[in-house]
Amino acid sequence: MSSRIIPVQPFDYVVFGATGDLTKRKLLPALYHRFKDGQFDEQSRIIGVSRSTLTDAEFRKAARDSITQFVEKEYQDEKVIDRFISTLSYVSNDVNDEKKWGDIKGLRDDPKVVRAFYLAIAPDLFGPTCEYIKKKGYYRRDARVVIEKPLGHDLASSEQINDEVSKIFKEDQVYRIDHYLGKETVQNLLALRFANILFEPIWNSAHIDHVQITVAESVGAGTRGYYDESGALRDMIQNHIIQLLCLVALEPPASDAANALRDEKLKVLRSLKPITNADVAKCTVRGQYRAGSVDGAAVVGYQDELPEDKKGSRTETFVALKAEIENWRWAGVPFYIRTGKRLVSRASEIVIQFRSIPHSMFDHAEGAPRPNRLVIRIQPDEGVKLLMMIKDPGPGGMRLREVPLNLSFAQTFTERTPEAYERLLLDVIRGSQTLFMRRDELEAAWMWVDPIREAWDAATDAPQPHTAGTWGPTGAIALIERDGRTWHEDGH
C-alpha cells in the first residue's frame, strides 16, 4: 500500500476548536493515520487553538488519549504516535473576545509550507475567527480555510455566514466540508458511472424506473445538543443526501477538475422540481420515533431524551421525500429519499431500480422475471451489488431466480480503507476542492429545502410517530407504495 501513498507538501494546520468532540473523534485520528502511512512527516505542524487553558504537553497528552480511544488497536504504534505527537502544539485563544486574543506561534512564512485553518467551531464564530486571522496577520492569499456544517439553518442565515467568511477568504480558498463526499463508496459512484461504458448508456429515464436513497441510523438524536434546532431535514437532507442525489443524477463532467464536477452538480440542484406548499402533503413525510427496541435493546422515545424545556418538540427525526429532476435525462423518474434516527439498523445505500423487460418469453417458467437493481452500499459493508435474473440450475423446466453479482470492498481490497476525513483533510493541503461544496451549490440546496421547512412550520399537525426499531412511520410506506413501488430493504 505504501507505493500508493503520495506525500503532500509540508503544512501548518491550525485547528480552531482543538478540544472539541470533532477534533478528538475524527480530526486527530485521521491525521495520525495519514502520518502513519507516510503522507506527511515532522516537517508539518498541527496547531490546536481553543479557549481552554492548556500547555503543549497537556494538549499532546489529550491527543494521545484520542488516538488510543478512537484508532483501532492494530494501527497503534507507540513510536509513530510519539513522532506524530511531536508535530502538535497548542494556543489558548478566545477569538470572540479581542482582549483575549492569543498569538499563534510557529506559523511559517515559507511559501512552500501550506497554511490551512480548520474551523471546528460553531458557525456563529466563523466570522470572528476569520477576522482574527486577518487582523493578526495570519492571512495569506494562498491560505485555505475549512468550515464545518451546519452552515446556517436556512438560505438567509447561510448567506450571512458565507458573507462573513468571504470578507476575508476568496471562494477558491474556502473548503466547505461534507464528510459523506469523502467516503470511498461515494467516490466509487463516479468511477462506476464514468470509468465503465456498461452503465452510462442506460443511466436515464428510458431504462431506470426510479431511484432510492436511504441513510438510516440506529442511534438516537435527543442527546445531541443542536439536533432539536435542526432536525433530519437540515441535518441530513440539505447536505449529505442532496449531494448523493447530485452524484447519481449529474451529467458526465468534461474532466475531473473541481469546477467541472461542481458545475454539473449545480445543474442538478437547479433542476430539482420545487416542492411547494401544495405538494408538501403528498411528497413529504416527517416522523418522530417513540420508545421501542433497536438491536434487541429497549430504547426510549425522542421526547424522553429531551430536557424539560424541550418537551413537546415537533422536530422531525425521520424524513421521507419524493423528489423529481426536471431535465431530459430524468424526466418522470422519481427519487425516493428517506433518513432517520432509531431505525432498524445503520445503513446508507443508493438503489437504482431499472424498468421491467418490455416482453417476457418465459410464460411457463417458475418465477417471473424481476427488474434489475443496482445497489450501491455506502455503509456498512461497503460494496456494489447488481441483482439480475438467471436460470436456477437443474433439469425439469425453466426456473428463474434472482441472484446478485456482488462486489464487496472488504473482500476485494484487503488493505485498510482510509476514513473520509483522512482524504478530505489532505485534499485541503493539495488544494483540491472537488469533494467540497461550492457556495452556489449550498445556496441552491437551501432554496429547494426552505419551502418544505416553511410548510412544515406553518402546518398544525405534528410529525407522525413511529416505533423505534422500525423503518419509520406508515406514511413513508404510503409515499412510495401509492406509486406502485416499494422500499428496498433486502439485507438490512
Side-chain angles (χ1 to χ4, degrees):
M1 183 176 178
S2 59
S3 62
R4 297 167 55 191
I5 298 298
I6 302 174
V8 297
Q9 287 179 252
F11 57 79
D12 290 339
Y13 230 130
V14 182
V15 181
F16 291 87
T19 58
D21 193 58
L22 176 67
T23 303
K24 292 177 183 177
R25 288 177 174 269
K26 296 295 184 181
L27 304 187
L28 287 172
L31 288 167
Y32 165 75
H33 275 297
R34 294 300 88 220
F35 183 89
K36 183 176 183 296
D37 283 350
Q39 212 147 13
F40 69 94
D41 58 23
E42 290 90 341
Q43 296 180 69
S44 295
R45 298 174 184 172
I46 301 161
I47 305 169
V49 180
S50 178
R51 288 180 294 184
S52 302
T53 303
L54 298 175
T55 63
D56 285 353
E58 289 171 331
F59 180 59
R60 288 170 178 167
K61 181 183 183 304
R64 183 184 296 275
D65 291 342
S66 295
I67 293 168
T68 301
Q69 184 176 359
F70 297 112
V71 172
E72 301 93 327
K73 294 292 184 185
E74 61 187 296
Y75 299 112
Q76 293 182 26
D77 183 317
E78 286 302 319
K79 291 183 178 179
V80 176
I81 293 174
D82 289 342
R83 290 175 51 223
F84 172 71
I85 294 298
S86 73
T87 70
L88 305 182
S89 61
Y90 183 81
V91 176
S92 179
N93 189 1
D94 186 350
V95 296
N96 211 25
D97 185 349
E98 194 166 345
K99 295 179 181 178
K100 298 180 180 178
W101 280 4
D103 293 324
I104 300 177
K105 300 175 182 178
L107 281 179
R108 293 166 285 183
D109 290 327
D110 186 345
K112 294 181 180 178
V113 175
V114 176
R115 182 174 295 181
F117 302 96
Y118 198 114
L119 309 191
I121 52 180
D124 60 351
L125 294 177
F126 290 173
T129 303
C130 291
E131 182 181 7
Y132 161 82
I133 291 168
K134 181 73 171 181
K135 287 187 175 180
K136 292 291 286 186
Y138 303 137
Y139 173 83
R140 293 193 328 206
R141 181 60 184 91
D142 61 348
R144 294 116 200 218
V145 62
V146 187
I147 52 181
E148 272 278 353
K149 79 171 187 103
L151 289 175
H153 58 270
D154 57 14
L155 177 60
S157 57
S158 176
E159 287 178 326
Q160 181 180 350
I161 292 169
N162 279 298
D163 285 345
E164 291 176 354
V165 172
S166 67
K167 288 178 183 178
I168 310 299
F169 291 92
K170 306 301 182 186
E171 181 63 26
D172 63 354
Q173 297 175 277
V174 180
Y175 292 71
R176 297 173 189 85
I177 196 165
D178 182 343
H179 72 274
Y180 253 66
L181 294 182
K183 291 182 180 293
E184 198 70 40
T185 325
V186 173
Q187 294 175 72
N188 259 301
L189 177 56
L190 293 174
L192 186 76
R193 287 192 60 189
F194 304 128
N196 301 285
I197 200 169
L198 177 64
F199 291 111
E200 191 57 26
I202 58 172
W203 208 263
N204 53 58
S205 60
H207 301 280
I208 293 175
D209 178 79
H210 71 277
V211 176
Q212 297 181 27
I213 302 175
T214 296
V215 178
E217 297 180 87
S218 59
V219 297
T223 56
R224 295 172 61 189
Y226 81 90
Y227 191 88
D228 197 62
E229 303 300 323
S230 59
L233 184 70
R234 292 183 178 124
D235 187 47
M236 294 298 296
I237 301 286
Q238 188 274 334
N239 43 74
H240 300 328
I241 295 179
I242 281 185
Q243 287 293 307
L244 296 180
L245 182 149
C246 286
L247 294 179
V248 171
L250 57 76
E251 295 296 320
S255 71
D256 63 355
N259 280 330
L261 179 68
R262 297 193 290 182
D263 286 345
E264 297 302 334
K265 287 198 291 177
L266 182 62
K267 291 177 185 177
V268 173
L269 290 166
R270 290 177 172 170
S271 298
L272 281 169
K273 181 180 178 180
I275 299 179
T276 62
N277 192 54
D279 298 323
V280 164
K282 66 179 181 180
C283 293
T284 76
V285 176
R286 55 179 175 149
Q288 190 180 94
Y289 61 85
R290 290 183 174 175
S293 176
V294 178
D295 293 330
V299 296
V300 300
Y302 180 68
Q303 295 291 336
D304 298 316
E305 295 174 330
L306 295 173
E308 284 301 321
D309 62 335
K310 296 287 187 179
K311 299 293 186 185
S313 169
R314 294 173 58 190
T315 296
E316 75 285 352
T317 62
F318 176 94
V319 175
L321 298 173
K322 177 184 176 181
E324 297 180 69
I325 300 171
E326 297 184 310
N327 62 22
W328 275 39
R329 181 185 289 265
W330 296 110
V333 177
F335 283 68
Y336 298 101
I337 296 167
R338 62 177 174 172
T339 183
K341 302 287 187 183
R342 288 286 191 230
L343 299 181
V344 175
S345 62
R346 173 176 173 262
S348 298
E349 67 180 18
I350 300 166
V351 178
I352 311 298
Q353 178 70 64
F354 292 97
R355 295 190 181 278
S356 299
I357 56 174
H359 171 73
S360 176
M361 61 176 280
F362 304 104
D363 294 337
H364 303 291
E366 294 183 32
R370 299 177 62 180
N372 301 125
R373 279 174 293 165
L374 180 66
V375 181
I376 301 158
R377 184 79 166 197
I378 299 168
Q379 64 182 20
D381 306 323
E382 294 87 345
V384 179
K385 180 167 60 177
L386 178 62
L387 294 162
M388 57 190 300
M389 302 301 298
I390 66 161
K391 177 190 177 292
D392 204 6
M398 178 68 72
R399 295 184 299 276
L400 298 179
R401 178 180 173 186
E402 185 181 59
V403 297
L405 292 178
N406 199 356
L407 167 62
S408 166
F409 283 18
Q411 294 176 9
T412 304
F413 307 105
T414 56
E415 65 268 22
R416 175 183 175 273
T417 300
E419 295 286 340
Y421 274 102
E422 297 178 43
R423 179 174 293 101
L424 296 174
L425 281 165
L426 292 197
D427 274 357
V428 174
I429 303 304
R430 295 187 189 93
S432 173
Q433 290 186 309
T434 302
L435 300 178
F436 298 84
M437 293 180 69
R438 204 166 58 191
R439 178 172 179 170
D440 51 6
E441 283 184 74
L442 178 67
E443 292 176 352
W446 276 123
M447 290 176 67
W448 187 70
V449 164
D450 275 355
I452 301 172
R453 177 80 267 165
E454 290 164 6
W456 286 352
D457 289 344
T460 58
D461 59 318
Q464 297 179 24
H466 71 92
T467 303
T470 65
W471 283 110
T474 56
I477 300 172
L479 174 73
I480 191 170
E481 291 197 348
R482 62 173 165 252
D483 292 341
R485 303 178 175 103
T486 189
W487 291 108
H488 174 81
E489 293 173 1
D490 294 351
H492 293 322

